Amino acid sequence: MYKNKYSGLFLKWPKLLQNSWPKLILLLILTTFSAVLVALPKVTGLAVILLLVLPTLLALIFEHRAFCRYLCPVSGFLGPFSKMSTLALRNKSQKTCDHCKAHFCQKGSEKGWACPYGINVGEMTESLDCGLCLECTRSCLYNNVTLYKRPFASELGTRNLSEAWLTIGIFTLAVVYSVLYQGHWAVVRDYVNILDKANWGLFGVYSLIVWSLALLIMPGIIVLLSYIGVKLSKLKNSTKQVFLTSAGALLPLGLMLWITFVIPMLFVNVTFVMQSLSDPFGWGWDFFGTANIPWHQFLPRFVPWLQAVLILIGLQLSLRNLRNSWLKNQIKSWKLMLLILPVGLFIVCCSVAMIVFFTN
Ligand code: SF4
Ligand code: SF4
């Protein structure tokens, strides 16, 4: 029983949907229509209103933050990357949690609300589900919750198939977005241009390709490579176990690909940032002497180098995590090498292809 009083129906979220599948599907819908979403102010406004109304409505029906936990596409995108954060909320003492019967963090107390994401900090081993609202630091009457600093990108693997699919989906979308918006092929952009050209036929083809890539082709490739790794190494591990681990290893490279994708857009707008900083309200101020500087691209020659370095960092971290995921299993080093070789080569090939793409 919860120790706080809630309004609304407070129904349980359907068990069948207590996973990352709904988030992945909504993320794919949002990204499929992203060009319309950012180009038409009316659609942007509608999306923002929906993001306010839907969580409120669902909060009146289901317990806690059902929308944030199970549906929010933004959470679907950001959640997996929280596993790479250098900041993590955990308990101070596992022993105290083991002896705790009240579970104030999960059920609430007179000092604070129950965790809006339904987490019992005593059982928490990874950051994906945590919204870092810090409510449990108040509700735990044993003062047993704290924030830790940890190495970058140190959480490994994925817990279940929906989480693995979500991670692979985010990785795939980074590649798709890069090719679509920063590729040299203007014809590719025609496929998403339903605003100016109303190319609904081409848009249908584009949607089919993106959804197939994210839901079938890329996960299928990782499953196949995991299977080959198991066969090569002759280990007893199941293909599913290798797949879940391998999917998690894509995360660092995925994050770096997203940063790499954003850099050119960011650098193009640096002039406007400098102008706004100098005259934040457009009232004719000029704090830093940059209010009226003409537009120029920020360090254009530096961009491909930076992109290449970022992808190399992602490659190194992904390969490191791929190997580290198996260290606790005490597998002979040559067997481990054979087990992770196929997925490792896939990560290397993706990195090389994206470096060539961005630097040409
Ligand atoms: S974090 Fe606090 S309330 Fe939660 S299980 Fe541990 S001791 Fe109990
Ligand atoms: S920080 Fe918030 S979301 Fe995370 S475990 Fe604590 S109460 Fe739950």
Side-chain angles (χ1 to χ4, degrees), residues 8 93 132 142 144 173 194-195 279 281 287:
S93 149
L132 219 59
Y142 297 108
N144 194 31
L173 287 173
I194 43 174
L195 281 182
D279 184 11
F281 303 109
F287 287 134

Side-chain angles (χ1 to χ4, degrees), residues 216-242:
L216 296 173
I217 298 171
M218 283 294 231
I221 291 174
I222 304 295
V223 169
L224 181 68
L225 296 175
S226 304
Y227 173 77
I228 295 173
V230 172
K231 289 290 161 205
L232 281 177
S233 64
K234 297 193 171 63
L235 284 163
K236 294 271 179 284
N237 303 78
S238 67
T239 302
K240 182 182 173 187
Q241 192 189 3
V242 182

Side-chain angles (χ1 to χ4, degrees), residues 89 115-117 119 121 124 130-136:
L89 180 133
C115 170
Y117 293 79
I119 295 170
V121 179
M124 188 177 175
C130 171
L132 219 59
C133 67
L134 302 183
E135 188 64 19
C136 51

Side-chain angles (χ1 to χ4, degrees), residues 157-230:
T158 51
R159 292 172 296 183
N160 51 51
L161 288 177
S162 70
E163 205 178 299
W165 243 264
L166 181 63
T167 308
I168 296 171
I170 291 168
F171 178 88
T172 309
L173 287 173
V175 177
V176 169
Y177 263 50
S178 301
V179 172
L180 198 59
Y181 294 105
Q182 290 179 17
H184 312 290
W185 315 285
V187 67
V188 178
R189 279 185 281 284
D190 284 348
Y191 280 71
V192 284
N193 197 348
I194 43 174
L195 281 182
D196 301 328
K197 303 194 176 174
N199 288 333
W200 286 100
L202 291 184
F203 183 74
V205 174
Y206 154 75
S207 308
L208 194 69
I209 292 173
V210 174
W211 284 63
S212 309
L213 271 174
L215 296 177
L216 296 173
I217 298 171
M218 283 294 231
I221 291 174
I222 304 295
V223 169
L224 181 68
L225 296 175
S226 304
Y227 173 77
I228 295 173
V230 172

Side-chain angles (χ1 to χ4, degrees), residues 85-99:
S85 170
T86 52
L87 200 66
L89 180 133
R90 296 287 187 273
N91 59 16
K92 290 180 193 167
S93 149
Q94 188 57 45
K95 209 166 147 197
T96 308
C97 286
D98 291 344
H99 286 104

Side-chain angles (χ1 to χ4, degrees), residues 58-131:
L58 287 178
L60 294 174
I61 302 168
F62 295 104
E63 61 178 11
H64 303 311
R65 292 195 197 171
F67 182 83
C68 311
R69 279 173 86 180
Y70 300 117
L71 292 178
C72 179
V74 181
S75 149
F77 180 75
L78 296 179
F81 291 131
S82 66
K83 290 164 63 173
M84 297 184 61
S85 170
T86 52
L87 200 66
L89 180 133
R90 296 287 187 273
N91 59 16
K92 290 180 193 167
S93 149
Q94 188 57 45
K95 209 166 147 197
T96 308
C97 286
D98 291 344
H99 286 104
C100 170
K101 296 277 179 279
H103 298 156
F104 300 114
C105 50
Q106 192 181 28
K107 304 288 179 190
S109 71
E110 61 267 29
K111 288 267 186 73
W113 291 87
C115 170
Y117 293 79
I119 295 170
N120 176 353
V121 179
E123 295 169 355
M124 188 177 175
T125 52
E126 67 160 65
S127 302
L128 195 144
D129 303 322
C130 171

